[in-house]
Amino acid sequence: MKIYLSGQLVDESEAKVSVFDHGLLYGDGVFEGIRAYHGRVFLLKEHVDRLYESAKAIALEIPMTRGEMARAVVETCIANGISSGYIRLVVTRGVGTLGLNPYLCKKPEVIIIAAAIQLYPPELYETGMSVVTVGTVRNHPEAINPRIKSLNYLNNVMAKIEAINSGVLECIMLNPQGHVAEASGDNIFIVKNGVLKTPPVWCGALDGITRRAVMGIAEDAGYAVREDVLQRYDLFTADEMFLTGTAAEVIAVTTVDRRTIGDGTPGQVTLDLQRHFKEYVKVNGTPIQAN
Ligand code: PMP
């Protein structure tokens, strides 16, 4: 496998970063997870834009233009013969001292990995998945804003540990006010009386690229879509519920805290959106081809 590492494609065995990199020492950096489908990098511009916004929010200056970054992603796919797969784009603060001061880190490191995708078990897409609410509260927006896709994912990792220890693969994270924020690695939607509802990002959610795409697809398909503050009550009484994310795509949730959502099977709106999404990914991406 060839890895893009600060301007060069190097062999996997050569792709090494310093133990003094603040990405490692402090989780100081930003990242993106991107899908490639059928020879296209899905919504590449949107992902690159979000990466630069995350970087801006932590005062990290990425040493290349957005265009150069997008090109580097495509080149990394070409170098690895990837036409469908998963791309991890990472920008670390770079090498610094053992102290926190990010201004002493002179050169951010840019890493791009293009590999196969690891998915939820396929049967979960048939049956829907079970989730639990966890005690780990989503980061306060004025501590680390959940809109920043930072390398500091301990908040999500702690939540994931609770989910797995409870025997499920995903969880519902609440914000400090007790409102529904998001899952540990996905956004949350419910369907109630034919209306799609998802928490606004200010409730403590990442501005998910899949979330945005699904909101657009749903509107085009004639559904009403609303950003709404959601309480656990809204989940328990929803007709349908599903999660969205780059890796998960659109996946139904059929139980929350062992309570059945709707009739306990993936709902009709969810199934319809899954069908639309499969078509959408075929045409909305940057072609993986040489310049
Ligand atoms: N929330 C969190 C915390 C995430 O890490 C992700 C991405 N895995 C998402 C939501 C979904 O975002 P996207 O659709 O852009 O992948």
Side-chain angles (χ1 to χ4, degrees), residues 271-288:
L271 293 172
D272 193 31
L273 292 172
Q274 282 175 333
R275 276 192 296 272
H276 282 293
F277 187 76
K278 276 206 161 46
E279 295 304 312
Y280 187 85
V281 302
K282 290 183 185 164
V283 289
N284 287 282
T286 302
I288 301 173

Side-chain angles (χ1 to χ4, degrees), residues 21-23 26-31 49-62 90-94 100-105 108-109 139 141-153:
D21 192 306
H22 279 208
Y26 297 116
D28 186 352
V30 293
F31 79 103
D49 283 345
R50 188 173 65 184
L51 180 81
Y52 279 73
E53 299 276 291
S54 293
K56 189 81 195 286
I58 67 162
L60 170 61
E61 204 169 317
I62 300 177
V90 179
V91 184
T92 74
R93 185 74 69 176
L100 280 178
N101 190 346
Y103 296 111
L104 298 177
C105 304
E109 196 86 73
N139 282 332
E142 298 304 337
I144 302 174
N145 197 306
R147 295 175 71 176
I148 303 169
K149 201 162 169 61
S150 87
L151 291 183
N152 204 310
Y153 249 51

Side-chain angles (χ1 to χ4, degrees), residues 31-34 42 47 50 86 88 138 146 148-149 153 156 170 173 181-188 204-213 244-249:
F31 79 103
E32 283 294 320
I34 312 173
F42 182 56
H47 280 284
R50 188 173 65 184
Y86 183 82
R88 177 56 60 93
R138 190 74 182 103
I148 303 169
K149 201 162 169 61
Y153 249 51
N156 313 61
E170 241 316 353
M173 298 183 77
E182 61 180 340
S184 72
D186 297 309
N187 290 107
I188 298 171
L206 182 72
D207 185 0
I209 307 289
T210 322
R211 171 184 180 275
R212 275 192 238 158
T244 64
T246 292
E249 303 176 308

